Amino acid sequence: MSQKKYSLFHLQGGFGKHIAATAVAKCIKNNHPSRELIVTGVWTEIFQNLPFVDRVYQHGNTSYYYQTYVENMDSLVFANEPYYTTDHVNKKLPLAQSWSKMYNLEYNGELPQITFNPLQRKGAKEFWPGRANGKPIMVLQTNGGMYNEQRPYLWARDMPVVLAQKLVDHYSDEYHIFQITRPSCEVLDDVEVLKDPVTNMELVSTLLHSDKRILIDSCMQHAAAALKMPSVVLWNGTSPKVFGWDMHTNIEAKKPAKCKLPNSVLFDFDFTGVEAEYPYVDEDDEIFDFDKIVEAVDNS
């Protein structure tokens, strides 16, 4: 009996990074189709239904992993951190591509993928449209990052509150708007807020029944790409060239006139939106073009 062969893919980071990593997992499988693909991560639910993934483990729950997949086994290990590659630091390639290149994989445009099983689809269909009172659904993600983050606004990727409310005021008569945010963040008027704990698959299932999506650089824009649902995505301190997907309409904040980065080393701004790094001077300065966003949403 021939020995099994394995590809062992380990990753860490946030939920959005895990969704992006499904593209890398697909690339690993495409490059090594004869090997079973074993994924170990933090947010493992997103991998469980994927047809090209053979088994999923959660960090800290890997009993007998070494003896099963490593010791005296024919295994390839994919466990490096892509954020510290030259191409990523220099913003030369999108994340999935630089991640795959790091492993010497041939990248053929693999995109992230989310697969719902029939019961998950049925649950989403029964739940989300019924809350919209006959209106089409808009998903508005205003805040991202770790769920237990206590600061109400992480400027590097959160949507400015004034802008978010202005968008709600513009669209609330036409759409039932689900706001996706963190518990510590401001709840907008005339929305149904999603900040109670839900499973990862339940969270992204809101997209399945949405007509319009205004998102930020967080998990939902990766999920929309994985579901092949073009969206409007706003970018503050991070780059769509690195973290975005071409299918979306990516709108960047205006560049500050002067930007000093005294504490930056390999990266410009901190993901967590450190207040001291905020590069704009005027408190009421509108850093996004509202009309440009509305035009993009209406044409999406």
Side-chain angles (χ1 to χ4, degrees), residues 163 166-167 170-171 251 286 288-299:
L163 171 64
K166 191 175 179 181
L167 288 168
H170 184 84
Y171 285 111
I251 299 177
E286 293 189 0
F288 284 99
D289 185 330
F290 176 79
D291 293 333
K292 184 177 181 180
I293 298 171
V294 169
E295 180 181 5
V297 173
D298 291 345
N299 291 332

Side-chain angles (χ1 to χ4, degrees), residues 89 91 155-156 236-239 243 255 259-271 277:
V89 171
K91 301 181 180 178
W155 75 266
N236 296 3
T238 52
S239 169
F243 294 106
K255 303 299 181 184
C259 185
K260 298 179 180 178
L261 301 170
N263 299 315
S264 301
V265 184
L266 293 179
F267 304 102
D268 43 16
F269 298 116
D270 191 304
F271 274 162
E277 293 185 343

Side-chain angles (χ1 to χ4, degrees), residues 5-218:
K5 298 179 180 181
Y6 302 104
S7 293
L8 308 179
F9 183 30
H10 285 237
L11 67 149
Q12 299 187 44
F15 183 39
K17 185 179 178 184
H18 278 61
I19 298 175
T22 63
V24 182
K26 190 185 302 183
C27 187
I28 293 172
K29 188 67 172 183
N30 288 343
N31 278 255
H32 301 282
S34 65
R35 294 177 177 272
E36 290 189 14
L37 177 56
I38 314 299
V39 175
T40 302
V42 182
W43 311 97
T44 54
E45 187 179 7
I46 211 71
F47 289 92
Q48 289 174 357
N49 295 334
L50 297 181
F52 50 86
V53 174
D54 294 282
R55 186 163 293 184
V56 182
Y57 286 86
Q58 189 147 21
H59 282 297
N61 189 18
T62 49
S63 297
Y64 300 104
Y65 186 97
Y66 177 75
Q67 290 175 315
T68 304
Y69 300 113
V70 180
E71 186 178 27
N72 299 320
M73 297 295 175
D74 185 345
S75 297
L76 300 178
V77 178
F78 303 88
N80 304 79
E81 174 51 65
Y83 284 176
Y84 294 103
T85 63
T86 298
D87 287 317
H88 183 81
V89 171
N90 289 331
K91 301 181 180 178
K92 296 294 185 182
L93 294 173
L95 176 60
Q97 190 170 345
S98 63
W99 202 337
S100 300
K101 182 181 177 181
M102 176 180 65
Y103 294 136
N104 295 315
L105 300 171
E106 183 179 346
Y107 178 77
N108 290 306
E110 285 86 355
L111 293 174
Q113 182 173 331
I114 295 174
T115 301
F116 293 88
N117 67 42
L119 292 181
Q120 290 168 327
R121 285 188 172 275
K122 183 175 184 292
K125 185 176 181 180
E126 291 174 348
F127 188 78
W128 300 117
R131 304 181 73 89
N133 299 315
K135 286 185 176 182
I137 290 172
M138 172 180 285
V139 173
L140 179 73
Q141 185 175 16
T142 56
N143 307 85
M146 296 301 292
Y147 182 79
N148 58 358
E149 167 65 54
Q150 294 303 305
R151 287 179 296 161
Y153 182 62
L154 307 179
W155 75 266
R157 56 181 172 182
D158 285 356
M159 192 180 299
V161 177
V162 173
L163 171 64
Q165 187 61 63
K166 191 175 179 181
L167 288 168
V168 170
D169 293 343
H170 184 84
Y171 285 111
S172 60
D173 288 341
E174 184 178 357
Y175 294 93
H176 183 88
I177 302 175
F178 287 108
Q179 180 190 359
I180 297 175
T181 182
R182 301 186 307 273
S184 60
C185 301
E186 185 170 337
V187 175
L188 304 174
D189 296 331
D190 299 318
V191 300
E192 181 173 352
V193 67
L194 255 67
K195 63 178 182 179
D196 293 329
V198 294
T199 69
N200 294 330
M201 296 299 281
E202 288 171 340
L203 176 65
V204 300
S205 75
T206 58
L207 298 171
L208 292 176
H209 300 281
S210 64
D211 292 85
K212 300 288 186 179
R213 294 158 296 279
I214 309 176
L215 310 173
I216 58 173
D217 177 23
S218 191

Side-chain angles (χ1 to χ4, degrees), residues 239-251:
S239 169
K241 182 178 179 180
V242 178
F243 294 106
W245 303 96
D246 290 340
M247 73 175 68
H248 297 323
T249 302
N250 296 299
I251 299 177

